[in-house]
C-alpha cells in the first residue's frame, strides 16, 4: 500500500437504483483524520460506504482505498479496512470469542497476533464477562461493541462506520467515541456517518455534506461556519440541505 | 355490525384480520392473499366438494354403518395429533414471536380478554385447514341425505379447542419448568415431531394393510375384543363426528369446560410467561471464566467450524431438517420392501442424502446471517464458498458412510456404485444451491421451497436422476442389460443436464 496516498479517494463515483443514489461523487479523506459524512436521509451516504467497502459495485467511477484500486485488487484494498454498518454484522448463535476467531480467520490474522488483541478488545469494551454467552441475547449496545471489536481485531488503518451510535446508551456511546478518537490518535483513519450532529461537531476534523448523491460542502467546522455564517453545525447543515428532512 | 372497541369480538376480529394477512402465499410485500390465491382456494374447495360427493356416494349405505365410527375415530385422533402440533406452534408464536402483546397488555384491556382472544385465535387457526378439507364431506353428506355428518363442523371446532388448550397448558407448563428460552425450542421441536410421528405410524399401518404382518397385528393385540366392540366408548369421537347427539353434546361441553378452565386458571400465568419470554433473550453476566480462543490455521477450517456451530446450536432448525428425512423414511421402507436390497438401498440413500444436503446447503449458503461481513473481508470468495459447500455436504456423507460400508461388504461393486451416485448427488445438490440459491433469513427454512421455486425443482430433479441412476447401475450389476444401459445413460445425462442448467443460471457476487 502506498503510504503517501490518501486513506480514501473517490472519483466521479456513480450508482443508480432506477434514480441516481450517488451522482458523480468526488471525495478525498486524508490519512489520520476523522471524517464525518453527513447528509439528509436518502442522500447517498450508506450507498457510498457500501461501494467503498466492496458490498456494492459502482456504475461508474474509481475507488482507491489506502492507495489501492478497489476494482483492481479488492482483497488488498479490503485488507486495511473495516466496516461497521448500522446493523451489526453478527451471528446470534456464536459467542463473542468465537465471533472474533471467525473474523480473525476472514482477515487471515495469525493466532499469536489475534489472541492478545481479542482479549484486549473484549476487556476494553467490557465484554469479557459475556464472552461465553451467545450474542443473540445481547443488548443493542453490546452487539454494537462486539461488532466494533470484530472490526478492530485486524487493526485496520481505515475504519468505516455507518451510524455507529444509533441505539446506544450514554455509557456505550462514550466508549465507542473514545475508541474512535484513540484509533485516530494512533494514526488510523475514521470515516463515519451520523445523524447526531453533535458527534460530528465534537469529533470530526473534517466534515463532508452530501445531498442527492453529490458533495455540496466540505471542510473543517470553522470553514463550514464561515461559509454559511451559522453558529452551529446544525445551522450549517440545515442551511445547506434546505428543504430536506434530516 | 361493528363490535364495541375493546370487547372480545372486536379484538378477535383484529386477530383474524392479522391471520388473514399472514396467510398471504406470496410474501413479496403483499399485505394479504392476492386474488389468485383466493381463486385457487375457491377452485380447490369446489373440487373437494365434487371429490367428497363421489366418494361418499360410492360408500352408499355404508354411511349409516355403525362400524364407520371406528375409522372415523382413528381419523379424529390423527387430526388431533396434527392439531396439537399446529397449536403448539401457535402458542410459541403467541408467546415468543408476535411483537404486539406488549402493546395489548399495556392498554386498558383486561389481560383475561387478551388471553381469551389469543387462545381463540389459536383455536381458529388450528381448525380452519381442517374445516376447509373436511367441510366438503359434511356438505356432500348433507346433499346425500345424511345431515348427521354436519357434526364434523362441531367436532373440528371441539378438537381444535381441546388441542389449543392442551398446547397452551403444555407451553406454559414448560415455561415454568424449563424457562422461556428452552421452552421455545422444546415446543418447536415437539410441534415438528408430533406431526411426523403420526405420519410414520400411518405409513407403517398402510404397509401392514398390504398383506404383511406388523402394525395391524400390533393394533389388534393392543385393542383386544372388548375394546374393539362397536358399542365401546372408545369410538365416541367417531360417533360424535357422524352426528350422534349425546356424544356430540358431551364433546362440546368438554371443550367448553377445557377452554373455561384454561382461561380461568392460567391467564395470570400467561402474563407471567410473557414477561419471562420478554426477558428470555437478555443475558445475565456470569462470573468471568478463563477466556479460551481457538484461532484456526486456515480460512477453510474457520468457515466450516463456524457453519457447523451455527447449525448445531439451532435445535429448531435441526428438528426441521430431520423432519424432512423422517418424511422420506416410509418411502425408503417401501423401496426396501418391494425391491432387492442393493438397488433399493442405493436409491433410498441417494435421495436421503440429496435431501439432507439440500437443506443444509440452504442453511449454510442461502441463509448466511452476515453476508456483508464476508463480502467486506479480504478472504477469497472461492475459498469461502468451497468451505461452505464442504460444511453442507460433509454431514450427509458421514451419515451415509455406515450403510455404504455395510453394502460394500456384502456386494462390493454395488457398494462402490452407490458410493458414486450418493457422492455425485450430494455434490450436485450443494452446487445447485450454491449457484441458484437466493439469500433468505433462517426463519424462512420451511418456506424455502416457495421462496425459490427454480432451485427447489432443480434439487428435486437432480435427486431423482442420481437416485434413478443408482437403481439402474446396481440392477445392471445383475441382469437386464438391454434396457438398463440406455436408462443409466438417460439418468446420468439428466443429472449432468440439471447441473449444467444450474450453472448457467448461477448468480455472481458483487
Amino acid at each position: 500500500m502506498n503510504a503517501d496516498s490518501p486513506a480514501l479517494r473517490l472519483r466521479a463515483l456513480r450508482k443508480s437504483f432506477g434514480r441516481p443514489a450517488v451522482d458523480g461523487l468526488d471525495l478525498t479523506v486524508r490519512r489520520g483524520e476523522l471524517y464525518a459524512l453527513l447528509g439528509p436521509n436518502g442522500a447517498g451516504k450508506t450507498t457510498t460506504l457500501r461501494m467503498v467497502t466492496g458490498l456494492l459495485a459502482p456504475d461508474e467511477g474509481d475507488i482507491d482505498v489506502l492507495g489501492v484500486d478497489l476494482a483492481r485488487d479488492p482483497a488488498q484494498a479490503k485488507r486495511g479496512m473495516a466496516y461497521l454498518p448500522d446493523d451489526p454484522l453478527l451471528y446470534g448463535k456464536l459467542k463473542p470469542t468465537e465471533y472474533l476467531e471467525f473474523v480473525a480467520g476472514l482477515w487471515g490474522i495469525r493466532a499469536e497476533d489475534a489472541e492478545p488483541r481479542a482479549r484486549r478488545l473484549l476487556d476494553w469494551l467490557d465484554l469479557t464477562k459475556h464472552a461465553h454467552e451467545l450474542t443473540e441475547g445481547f443488548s443493542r449496545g453490546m452487539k454494537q461493541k462486539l461488532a466494533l471489536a470484530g472490526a478492530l481485531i485486524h487493526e485496520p488503518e481505515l475504519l468505516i462506520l455507518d451510524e455507529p451510535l444509533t441505539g446506544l446508551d450514554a455509557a456505550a456511546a462514550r466508549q465507542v467515541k473514545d475508541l474512535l478518537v484513540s484509533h485516530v490518535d494512533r494514526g488510523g483513519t475514521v470515516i463515519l456517518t451520523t445523524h447526531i450532529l453533535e458527534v460530528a461537531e465534537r469529533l470530526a476534523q473534517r466534515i463532508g455534506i452530501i445531498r442527492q448523491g453529490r458533495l455540496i460542502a466540505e471542510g473543517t467546522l470553522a470553514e463550514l461556519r464561515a461559509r454559511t455564517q451559522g453558529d452551529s453545525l446544525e445551522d450549517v447543515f440545515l442551511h445547506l440541505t434546505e428543504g430536506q428532512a434530516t | 355490525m361493528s363490535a364495541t372497541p375493546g370487547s372480545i369480538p372486536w379484538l378477535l376480529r383484529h386477530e383474524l384480520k392479522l391471520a388473514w394477512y399472514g396467510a398471504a402465499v406470496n410474501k413479496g410485500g403483499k399485505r394479504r392473499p392476492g386474488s389468485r390465491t383466493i381463486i385457487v382456494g375457491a377452485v380447490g374447495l369446489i373440487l373437494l366438494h365434487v371429490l367428497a360427493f363421489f366418494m361418499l356416494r360410492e360408500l352408499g349405505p355404508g354411511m349409516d354403518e355403525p362400524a364407520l365410527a371406528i375409522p372415523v375415530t382413528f381419523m379424529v385422533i390423527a387430526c388431533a395429533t396434527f392439531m396439537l402440533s399446529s397449536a403448539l406452534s401457535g402458542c410459541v408464536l403467541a408467546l415468543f414471536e408476535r411483537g404486539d402483546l406488549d402493546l395489548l397488555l399495556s392498554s386498558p384491556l383486561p389481560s383475561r380478554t387478551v388471553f381469551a382472544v389469543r387462545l381463540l385465535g389459536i383455536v381458529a387457526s388450528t381448525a380452519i385447514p381442517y374445516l376447509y378439507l373436511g367441510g366438503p364431506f359434511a356438505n356432500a353428506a348433507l346433499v346425500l341425505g345424511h345431515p348427521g355428518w354436519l357434526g364434523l363442523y362441531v367436532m373440528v371446532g371441539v378438537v381444535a379447542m381441546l388441542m389449543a388448550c392442551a398446547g397452551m397448558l403444555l407451553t406454559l407448563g414448560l415455561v415454568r419448568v424449563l424457562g422461556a428460552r428452552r421452552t421455545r425450542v422444546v415446543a418447536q421441536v415437539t410441534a415438528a415431531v408430533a406431526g411426523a410421528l403420526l405420519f410414520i405410524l400411518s405409513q407403517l399401518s398402510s404397509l401392514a394393510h398390504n398383506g404383511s404382518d406388523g402394525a395391524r397385528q400390533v393394533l389388534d393385540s393392543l385393542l383386544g375384543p372388548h375394546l374393539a366392540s362397536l358399542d365401546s366408548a372408545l369410538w365416541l369421537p367417531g360417533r360424535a363426528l357422524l352426528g350422534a347427539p349425546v356424544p356430540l353434546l358431551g364433546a362440546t361441553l368438554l371443550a367448553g369446560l377445557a377452554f373455561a378452565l384454561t382461561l380461568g386458571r392460567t391467564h395470570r400465568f400467561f402474563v407471567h410467561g410473557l414477561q419471562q419470554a420478554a426477558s428470555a433473550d437478555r443475558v445475565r453476566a456470569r462470573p468471568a471464566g478463563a477466556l479460551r480462543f481457538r484461532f484456526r490455521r486456515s480460512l477453510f477450517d474457520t468457515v466450516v467450524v463456524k457453519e457447523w456451530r451455527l447449525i448445531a446450536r439451532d435445535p429448531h432448525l435441526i428438528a426441521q431438517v430431520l423432519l424432512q428425512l423422517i418424511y422420506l423414511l416410509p418411502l425408503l421402507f417401501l423401496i426396501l420392501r418391494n425391491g432387492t436390497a442393493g438397488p433399493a438401498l442405493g436409491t433410498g440413500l441417494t435421495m436421503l442424502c440429496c435431501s439432507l444436503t439440500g437443506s443444509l446447503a440452504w442453511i449454510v449458503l442461502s441463509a448466511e446471517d452476515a453476508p456483508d461481513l464476508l463480502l467486506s473481508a479480504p478472504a477469497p470468495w472461492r475459498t469461502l464458498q468451497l468451505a461452505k459447500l464442504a460444511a453442507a455436504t460433509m454431514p450427509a456423507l458421514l451419515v451415509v458412510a455406515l450403510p455404504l460400508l455395510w453394502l460394500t461388504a456384502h456386494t462390493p461393486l454395488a457398494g462402490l456404485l452407490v458410493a458414486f451416485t450418493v457422492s455425485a448427488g450430494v455434490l450436485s445438490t450443494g452446487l445447485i444451491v450454491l449457484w441458484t440459491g437466493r439469500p433468505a433469513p433462517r426463519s424462512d427454512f420451511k418456506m424455502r421451497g416457495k421462496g425459490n421455486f427454480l432451485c427447489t425443482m432443480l434439487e428435486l430433479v437432480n435427486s431423482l436422476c442420481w437416485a434413478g441412476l443408482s437403481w439402474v447401475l446396481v440392477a445392471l450389476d445383475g441382469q437386464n442389460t438391454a434396457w438398463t444401459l440406455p436408462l443409466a445413460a438417460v439418468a446420468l445425462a439428466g443429472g449432468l443436464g440439471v447441473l449444467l442448467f444450474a450453472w448457467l443460471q448461477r448468480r455472481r457476487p458483487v
Side-chain angles (χ1 to χ4, degrees), chain A residues 50 55-57 75 78 89 91 93 98 101-102 104-107 111 114-115 118-119 129-133 137, chain B residues 281 283-286 290-291 293-295 299 306 309-310 313 368-369 372-379 384 510:
Chain A
R50 287 179 67 81
L55 299 176
L56 269 179
K78 289 173 183 177
L89 305 170
Y91 297 92
K93 298 282 180 197
E98 295 162 350
E101 286 165 13
F102 180 64
L106 286 178
W107 262 263
E115 186 158 343
R119 286 178 189 280
K129 56 182 174 292
H130 298 295
H132 300 296
E133 302 282 352
Chain B
D281 286 343
V283 293
R284 279 165 297 184
R286 289 180 187 171
L291 273 185
F293 290 95
R294 284 185 190 160
F295 291 96
L299 174 64
K306 168 243 171 191
R309 269 182 181 148
L310 293 181
R313 287 178 186 164
E368 164 63 45
D369 285 335
D372 284 357
L373 179 65
L374 304 186
L375 279 170
S376 63
L384 287 175
V510 179

Side-chain angles (χ1 to χ4, degrees), chain B residues 309-326:
Chain B
R309 269 182 181 148
L310 293 181
I311 294 170
R313 287 178 186 164
D314 199 337
H316 181 221
L317 208 57
I318 293 175
Q320 286 183 325
V321 171
L322 293 180
L323 202 62
Q324 290 192 325
L325 298 183
I326 288 176

Side-chain angles (χ1 to χ4, degrees), chain A residues 128-195:
Chain A
T128 304
K129 56 182 174 292
H130 298 295
H132 300 296
E133 302 282 352
L134 297 184
T135 53
E136 65 187 0
F138 281 15
S139 68
R140 161 96 197 172
M142 287 161 75
K143 284 181 179 169
Q144 194 73 358
K145 286 196 288 184
L146 178 60
L148 193 56
L152 291 171
I153 194 159
H154 58 95
E155 297 192 337
E157 191 172 341
L158 173 59
L159 189 54
I160 298 175
L161 306 102
D162 194 2
E163 298 289 351
L165 304 177
T166 306
L168 298 191
D169 62 23
R174 179 66 178 268
Q175 274 181 306
V176 172
K177 283 187 275 187
D178 288 349
L179 211 144
L180 299 183
V181 170
S182 150
H183 185 71
V184 173
D185 288 345
R186 282 183 283 117
T189 308
V190 173
I191 301 173
L192 65 87
T193 70
T194 180
H195 278 113

Side-chain angles (χ1 to χ4, degrees), chain B residues 51-61 63 140 144:
Chain B
L51 179 77
F53 179 80
F54 285 108
M55 276 178 72
L56 292 183
R57 199 178 64 171
E58 200 66 25
L59 207 59
M63 286 178 75
L144 291 166

Side-chain angles (χ1 to χ4, degrees), chain A residues 224-244:
Chain A
L224 291 174
R225 273 188 192 146
R227 181 174 158 183
T228 58
Q229 294 169 345
D231 286 336
S232 65
L233 181 58
E234 189 177 29
D235 294 334
V236 173
F237 182 84
L238 290 175
H239 178 83
L240 290 169
T241 59
E242 213 171 24
Q244 291 197 35

Side-chain angles (χ1 to χ4, degrees), chain B residues 130-411:
Chain B
Y130 297 87
L131 290 175
Y132 180 87
L133 293 171
F137 286 86
N139 299 343
L142 181 67
V143 172
L144 291 166
H146 297 272
W149 280 53
L150 290 178
L152 182 144
Y153 284 109
V154 181
M155 274 305 281
V156 168
V158 161
V159 179
M161 191 168 274
L162 286 170
M163 292 304 115
C165 292
M168 185 56 86
L169 290 173
L170 186 62
T171 310
L172 291 176
L174 284 172
V175 169
R176 175 167 275 180
V177 176
L178 301 175
R181 192 192 292 244
R182 285 185 192 142
T183 294
R184 185 179 185 164
V185 173
V186 171
Q188 282 170 332
V189 172
T190 310
V193 171
L197 281 181
L198 198 91
F199 175 76
I200 296 291
L201 286 178
S202 72
Q203 293 303 304
L204 285 176
S205 160
S206 77
L207 287 177
H209 278 286
N210 284 343
S212 63
D213 49 359
R216 183 192 257 172
Q217 287 175 6
V218 173
L219 203 66
D220 288 347
S221 63
L222 272 177
L223 287 178
H226 59 289
L227 274 177
S229 70
L230 277 178
D231 51 353
S232 163
L234 211 60
W235 318 124
L236 280 175
R239 269 183 247 145
L241 190 143
L242 295 171
V246 177
L248 195 59
L249 187 67
T252 311
L253 286 175
L254 182 69
L257 188 69
F259 186 79
L261 279 175
T262 309
L263 194 61
R265 294 280 168 188
T266 57
H267 102 271
R268 282 182 201 287
F269 196 63
F270 171 70
V271 177
H272 175 67
L274 279 175
Q275 287 162 350
Q276 272 213 35
S279 58
D281 286 343
R282 290 186 201 134
V283 293
R284 279 165 297 184
R286 289 180 187 171
L291 273 185
R292 256 184 251 121
F293 290 95
R294 284 185 190 160
F295 291 96
R296 280 165 182 81
R297 283 185 187 168
S298 77
L299 174 64
F300 189 91
D301 293 355
T302 305
V303 175
V304 169
V305 169
K306 168 243 171 191
E307 296 302 344
W308 284 352
R309 269 182 181 148
L310 293 181
I311 294 170
R313 287 178 186 164
D314 199 337
H316 181 221
L317 208 57
I318 293 175
Q320 286 183 325
V321 171
L322 293 180
L323 202 62
Q324 290 192 325
L325 298 183
I326 288 176
Y327 281 119
L328 272 176
L329 283 179
L331 183 69
L332 194 60
F333 293 150
L334 272 176
I335 295 170
L336 281 170
R337 207 189 56 179
N338 294 334
T340 51
L345 190 63
T347 306
L349 288 180
T350 309
M351 288 183 77
L352 248 134
C353 287
C354 287
S355 176
L356 178 60
T357 306
S359 300
L360 292 179
W362 184 88
I363 294 166
V364 166
L365 291 159
S366 299
E368 164 63 45
D369 285 335
D372 284 357
L373 179 65
L374 304 186
L375 279 170
S376 63
W381 189 246
R382 190 179 286 267
T383 311
L384 287 175
Q385 297 300 78
L386 205 63
K388 280 175 165 271
L389 199 59
T393 51
M394 276 197 265
L397 295 176
L398 284 175
V399 165
V400 84
L402 209 62
L404 264 183
L405 278 175
W406 177 86
L407 186 64
T408 312
H410 281 78
T411 43

